[in-house]
mmCIF file of all heavy atoms in Angstrom:
data_model
loop_
_atom_site.group_PDB
_atom_site.id
_atom_site.type_symbol
_atom_site.label_atom_id
_atom_site.label_comp_id
_atom_site.label_asym_id
_atom_site.label_seq_id
_atom_site.Cartn_x
_atom_site.Cartn_y
_atom_site.Cartn_z
ATOM 1 N N VAL L 19 18.809 -5.940 -47.802
ATOM 2 C CA VAL L 19 18.093 -5.582 -49.032
ATOM 3 C C VAL L 19 18.767 -4.347 -49.607
ATOM 4 O O VAL L 19 19.066 -3.373 -48.882
ATOM 5 C CB VAL L 19 16.671 -5.264 -48.605
ATOM 6 C CG1 VAL L 19 15.859 -4.696 -49.813
ATOM 7 C CG2 VAL L 19 15.943 -6.537 -48.102
ATOM 8 N N ASN L 20 18.791 -4.252 -50.885
ATOM 9 C CA ASN L 20 19.191 -3.016 -51.613
ATOM 10 C C ASN L 20 18.022 -2.262 -51.991
ATOM 11 O O ASN L 20 17.331 -2.420 -52.996
ATOM 12 C CB ASN L 20 19.962 -3.466 -52.993
ATOM 13 C CG ASN L 20 20.408 -2.218 -53.725
ATOM 14 O OD1 ASN L 20 20.251 -1.077 -53.299
ATOM 15 N ND2 ASN L 20 20.836 -2.452 -54.883
ATOM 16 N N PHE L 21 17.634 -1.363 -51.074
ATOM 17 C CA PHE L 21 16.381 -0.626 -51.207
ATOM 18 C C PHE L 21 16.447 0.351 -52.390
ATOM 19 O O PHE L 21 15.364 0.634 -52.944
ATOM 20 C CB PHE L 21 16.172 0.242 -49.986
ATOM 21 C CG PHE L 21 15.953 -0.555 -48.693
ATOM 22 C CD1 PHE L 21 16.933 -0.550 -47.738
ATOM 23 C CD2 PHE L 21 14.763 -1.264 -48.558
ATOM 24 C CE1 PHE L 21 16.738 -1.357 -46.528
ATOM 25 C CE2 PHE L 21 14.560 -2.007 -47.425
ATOM 26 C CZ PHE L 21 15.620 -2.107 -46.368
ATOM 27 N N GLY L 22 17.505 0.775 -52.874
ATOM 28 C CA GLY L 22 17.696 1.697 -53.966
ATOM 29 C C GLY L 22 17.243 1.091 -55.310
ATOM 30 O O GLY L 22 16.999 1.873 -56.270
ATOM 31 N N ARG L 23 17.008 -0.232 -55.310
ATOM 32 C CA ARG L 23 16.551 -0.881 -56.611
ATOM 33 C C ARG L 23 15.053 -0.560 -56.838
ATOM 34 O O ARG L 23 14.601 -0.819 -57.845
ATOM 35 C CB ARG L 23 16.647 -2.346 -56.504
ATOM 36 C CG ARG L 23 18.117 -2.875 -56.442
ATOM 37 C CD ARG L 23 18.195 -4.368 -56.177
ATOM 38 N NE ARG L 23 17.190 -5.053 -57.000
ATOM 39 C CZ ARG L 23 16.662 -6.210 -56.696
ATOM 40 N NH1 ARG L 23 16.901 -6.721 -55.440
ATOM 41 N NH2 ARG L 23 15.777 -6.847 -57.425
ATOM 42 N N PHE L 24 14.358 -0.092 -55.857
ATOM 43 C CA PHE L 24 12.953 0.122 -55.938
ATOM 44 C C PHE L 24 12.398 1.457 -56.078
ATOM 45 O O PHE L 24 12.978 2.394 -55.420
ATOM 46 C CB PHE L 24 12.222 -0.649 -54.744
ATOM 47 C CG PHE L 24 12.618 -2.156 -54.576
ATOM 48 C CD1 PHE L 24 13.690 -2.452 -53.799
ATOM 49 C CD2 PHE L 24 11.999 -3.139 -55.276
ATOM 50 C CE1 PHE L 24 14.092 -3.843 -53.675
ATOM 51 C CE2 PHE L 24 12.346 -4.462 -55.185
ATOM 52 C CZ PHE L 24 13.435 -4.804 -54.411
ATOM 53 N N ASP L 25 11.252 1.669 -56.749
ATOM 54 C CA ASP L 25 10.649 3.006 -56.889
ATOM 55 C C ASP L 25 9.980 3.309 -55.534
ATOM 56 O O ASP L 25 9.935 4.550 -55.153
ATOM 57 C CB ASP L 25 9.576 2.948 -57.894
ATOM 58 C CG ASP L 25 10.096 2.720 -59.294
ATOM 59 O OD1 ASP L 25 11.243 3.152 -59.572
ATOM 60 O OD2 ASP L 25 9.393 2.150 -60.157
ATOM 61 N N ALA L 26 9.484 2.340 -54.837
ATOM 62 C CA ALA L 26 8.747 2.515 -53.575
ATOM 63 C C ALA L 26 9.063 1.368 -52.619
ATOM 64 O O ALA L 26 9.124 0.215 -53.001
ATOM 65 C CB ALA L 26 7.237 2.680 -53.859
ATOM 66 N N VAL L 27 9.056 1.715 -51.252
ATOM 67 C CA VAL L 27 9.079 0.781 -50.203
ATOM 68 C C VAL L 27 7.884 1.017 -49.390
ATOM 69 O O VAL L 27 7.560 2.166 -48.946
ATOM 70 C CB VAL L 27 10.422 0.973 -49.365
ATOM 71 C CG1 VAL L 27 10.453 -0.086 -48.229
ATOM 72 C CG2 VAL L 27 11.608 0.787 -50.322
ATOM 73 N N VAL L 28 7.170 -0.083 -49.030
ATOM 74 C CA VAL L 28 6.031 0.060 -48.165
ATOM 75 C C VAL L 28 6.057 -0.992 -47.026
ATOM 76 O O VAL L 28 6.717 -2.017 -47.184
ATOM 77 C CB VAL L 28 4.688 -0.164 -49.013
ATOM 78 C CG1 VAL L 28 4.563 0.771 -50.167
ATOM 79 C CG2 VAL L 28 4.608 -1.620 -49.507
ATOM 80 N N SER L 29 5.306 -0.663 -45.959
ATOM 81 C CA SER L 29 5.221 -1.675 -44.853
ATOM 82 C C SER L 29 3.877 -1.452 -44.147
ATOM 83 O O SER L 29 3.274 -0.365 -44.112
ATOM 84 C CB SER L 29 6.405 -1.536 -43.914
ATOM 85 O OG SER L 29 6.179 -0.458 -43.098
ATOM 86 N N SER L 30 3.357 -2.509 -43.591
ATOM 87 C CA SER L 30 2.051 -2.542 -42.937
ATOM 88 C C SER L 30 2.185 -3.360 -41.621
ATOM 89 O O SER L 30 2.493 -4.487 -41.613
ATOM 90 C CB SER L 30 0.983 -3.206 -43.804
ATOM 91 O OG SER L 30 -0.206 -3.397 -43.039
ATOM 92 N N LEU L 31 2.039 -2.627 -40.550
ATOM 93 C CA LEU L 31 2.034 -3.300 -39.191
ATOM 94 C C LEU L 31 3.339 -4.088 -38.902
ATOM 95 O O LEU L 31 3.251 -5.181 -38.420
ATOM 96 C CB LEU L 31 0.853 -4.184 -39.075
ATOM 97 C CG LEU L 31 -0.569 -3.557 -39.260
ATOM 98 C CD1 LEU L 31 -1.682 -4.496 -39.082
ATOM 99 C CD2 LEU L 31 -0.687 -2.328 -38.286
ATOM 100 N N LEU L 32 4.460 -3.498 -39.331
ATOM 101 C CA LEU L 32 5.792 -4.119 -39.092
ATOM 102 C C LEU L 32 6.616 -3.375 -38.001
ATOM 103 O O LEU L 32 7.088 -4.016 -37.091
ATOM 104 C CB LEU L 32 6.505 -4.066 -40.398
ATOM 105 C CG LEU L 32 8.018 -4.414 -40.271
ATOM 106 C CD1 LEU L 32 8.200 -5.906 -39.831
ATOM 107 C CD2 LEU L 32 8.746 -4.095 -41.608
ATOM 108 N N PHE L 33 6.794 -2.096 -38.145
ATOM 109 C CA PHE L 33 7.750 -1.401 -37.319
ATOM 110 C C PHE L 33 7.462 -1.480 -35.866
ATOM 111 O O PHE L 33 8.409 -1.483 -35.020
ATOM 112 C CB PHE L 33 7.919 0.050 -37.773
ATOM 113 C CG PHE L 33 8.669 0.239 -39.101
ATOM 114 C CD1 PHE L 33 8.064 0.728 -40.183
ATOM 115 C CD2 PHE L 33 9.950 -0.276 -39.236
ATOM 116 C CE1 PHE L 33 8.684 0.933 -41.415
ATOM 117 C CE2 PHE L 33 10.619 -0.088 -40.368
ATOM 118 C CZ PHE L 33 10.000 0.465 -41.512
ATOM 119 N N HIS L 34 6.261 -1.434 -35.461
ATOM 120 C CA HIS L 34 5.977 -1.549 -33.927
ATOM 121 C C HIS L 34 6.364 -2.825 -33.325
ATOM 122 O O HIS L 34 6.426 -2.955 -32.145
ATOM 123 C CB HIS L 34 4.460 -1.350 -33.723
ATOM 124 C CG HIS L 34 3.537 -2.542 -34.042
ATOM 125 N ND1 HIS L 34 3.155 -2.826 -35.326
ATOM 126 C CD2 HIS L 34 2.992 -3.403 -33.220
ATOM 127 C CE1 HIS L 34 2.374 -3.878 -35.312
ATOM 128 N NE2 HIS L 34 2.258 -4.280 -34.060
ATOM 129 N N LEU L 35 6.679 -3.838 -34.167
ATOM 130 C CA LEU L 35 7.165 -5.108 -33.668
ATOM 131 C C LEU L 35 8.736 -5.133 -33.539
ATOM 132 O O LEU L 35 9.249 -6.102 -32.985
ATOM 133 C CB LEU L 35 6.778 -6.276 -34.611
ATOM 134 C CG LEU L 35 5.294 -6.483 -34.737
ATOM 135 C CD1 LEU L 35 4.996 -7.517 -35.873
ATOM 136 C CD2 LEU L 35 4.579 -6.789 -33.473
ATOM 137 N N MET L 36 9.359 -4.122 -34.029
ATOM 138 C CA MET L 36 10.871 -4.095 -34.073
ATOM 139 C C MET L 36 11.368 -3.216 -32.943
ATOM 140 O O MET L 36 10.547 -2.352 -32.360
ATOM 141 C CB MET L 36 11.312 -3.531 -35.401
ATOM 142 C CG MET L 36 10.881 -4.307 -36.587
ATOM 143 S SD MET L 36 11.130 -3.520 -38.158
ATOM 144 C CE MET L 36 12.875 -3.159 -38.189
ATOM 145 N N SER L 37 12.602 -3.367 -32.564
ATOM 146 C CA SER L 37 13.172 -2.535 -31.526
ATOM 147 C C SER L 37 13.360 -1.113 -32.101
ATOM 148 O O SER L 37 13.482 -0.980 -33.363
ATOM 149 C CB SER L 37 14.564 -3.054 -31.066
ATOM 150 O OG SER L 37 15.491 -2.978 -32.066
ATOM 151 N N GLU L 38 13.483 -0.146 -31.178
ATOM 152 C CA GLU L 38 13.728 1.200 -31.753
ATOM 153 C C GLU L 38 14.996 1.321 -32.509
ATOM 154 O O GLU L 38 15.058 1.996 -33.639
ATOM 155 C CB GLU L 38 13.751 2.245 -30.518
ATOM 156 C CG GLU L 38 14.022 3.658 -30.992
ATOM 157 C CD GLU L 38 13.867 4.686 -29.801
ATOM 158 O OE1 GLU L 38 13.203 4.305 -28.902
ATOM 159 O OE2 GLU L 38 14.466 5.678 -29.908
ATOM 160 N N LYS L 39 16.056 0.641 -32.110
ATOM 161 C CA LYS L 39 17.298 0.675 -32.794
ATOM 162 C C LYS L 39 17.162 0.086 -34.226
ATOM 163 O O LYS L 39 17.582 0.651 -35.120
ATOM 164 C CB LYS L 39 18.346 -0.145 -32.106
ATOM 165 C CG LYS L 39 19.693 -0.292 -32.749
ATOM 166 C CD LYS L 39 20.612 -1.140 -31.839
ATOM 167 C CE LYS L 39 21.997 -1.373 -32.494
ATOM 168 N NZ LYS L 39 21.923 -2.280 -33.684
ATOM 169 N N ASP L 40 16.397 -0.961 -34.361
ATOM 170 C CA ASP L 40 16.241 -1.614 -35.686
ATOM 171 C C ASP L 40 15.313 -0.772 -36.559
ATOM 172 O O ASP L 40 15.490 -0.722 -37.793
ATOM 173 C CB ASP L 40 15.708 -3.014 -35.552
ATOM 174 C CG ASP L 40 16.619 -4.062 -35.064
ATOM 175 O OD1 ASP L 40 17.891 -3.683 -35.104
ATOM 176 O OD2 ASP L 40 16.176 -5.109 -34.561
ATOM 177 N N ILE L 41 14.330 -0.141 -35.989
ATOM 178 C CA ILE L 41 13.449 0.749 -36.823
ATOM 179 C C ILE L 41 14.273 1.884 -37.419
ATOM 180 O O ILE L 41 14.279 2.208 -38.538
ATOM 181 C CB ILE L 41 12.284 1.388 -35.903
ATOM 182 C CG1 ILE L 41 11.371 0.228 -35.401
ATOM 183 C CG2 ILE L 41 11.581 2.429 -36.664
ATOM 184 C CD1 ILE L 41 10.459 0.791 -34.443
ATOM 185 N N ILE L 42 15.158 2.576 -36.518
ATOM 186 C CA ILE L 42 15.892 3.696 -36.923
ATOM 187 C C ILE L 42 16.887 3.220 -38.039
ATOM 188 O O ILE L 42 17.078 3.874 -39.080
ATOM 189 C CB ILE L 42 16.558 4.328 -35.752
ATOM 190 C CG1 ILE L 42 15.648 4.945 -34.766
ATOM 191 C CG2 ILE L 42 17.646 5.412 -36.228
ATOM 192 C CD1 ILE L 42 16.211 5.446 -33.504
ATOM 193 N N GLU L 43 17.540 2.027 -37.837
ATOM 194 C CA GLU L 43 18.566 1.725 -38.787
ATOM 195 C C GLU L 43 17.954 1.300 -40.162
ATOM 196 O O GLU L 43 18.438 1.631 -41.110
ATOM 197 C CB GLU L 43 19.225 0.475 -38.196
ATOM 198 C CG GLU L 43 20.288 0.749 -37.024
ATOM 199 C CD GLU L 43 21.026 -0.444 -36.525
ATOM 200 O OE1 GLU L 43 20.717 -1.621 -37.026
ATOM 201 O OE2 GLU L 43 21.888 -0.297 -35.787
ATOM 202 N N THR L 44 16.808 0.695 -40.073
ATOM 203 C CA THR L 44 16.031 0.288 -41.243
ATOM 204 C C THR L 44 15.542 1.589 -42.004
ATOM 205 O O THR L 44 15.782 1.676 -43.278
ATOM 206 C CB THR L 44 14.845 -0.595 -41.012
ATOM 207 O OG1 THR L 44 15.291 -1.784 -40.336
ATOM 208 C CG2 THR L 44 14.123 -0.983 -42.280
ATOM 209 N N LEU L 45 14.904 2.529 -41.350
ATOM 210 C CA LEU L 45 14.552 3.742 -42.003
ATOM 211 C C LEU L 45 15.635 4.544 -42.610
ATOM 212 O O LEU L 45 15.585 5.079 -43.681
ATOM 213 C CB LEU L 45 13.726 4.601 -41.055
ATOM 214 C CG LEU L 45 12.322 4.008 -40.627
ATOM 215 C CD1 LEU L 45 11.646 4.916 -39.538
ATOM 216 C CD2 LEU L 45 11.347 3.979 -41.853
ATOM 217 N N GLU L 46 16.685 4.654 -41.872
ATOM 218 C CA GLU L 46 17.886 5.408 -42.361
ATOM 219 C C GLU L 46 18.501 4.796 -43.580
ATOM 220 O O GLU L 46 18.774 5.531 -44.545
ATOM 221 C CB GLU L 46 18.965 5.402 -41.184
ATOM 222 C CG GLU L 46 18.651 6.352 -40.021
ATOM 223 C CD GLU L 46 18.906 7.774 -40.449
ATOM 224 O OE1 GLU L 46 19.244 8.112 -41.589
ATOM 225 O OE2 GLU L 46 18.696 8.670 -39.523
#
C-alpha cells in the first residue's frame, strides 16, 4: 500500500493479531 496517498489511515482490532515485527514495519 502507498500510505502517502491518504489524508488518514485508521485501523480497528487489527494490530494485536499481527506479529510484533509486522506491527513495527507497518507503523514505520
Side-chain angles (χ1 to χ4, degrees):
V19 175
N20 178 7
F21 297 108
R23 294 171 46 208
F24 301 94
D25 295 329
V27 178
V28 302
S29 76
S30 169
L31 303 181
L32 167 69
F33 286 120
H34 75 281
L35 300 174
M36 299 166 59
S37 70
E38 181 174 331
K39 177 177 177 292
D40 288 342
I41 295 171
I42 293 172
E43 287 180 354
T44 301
L45 288 173
E46 287 284 0

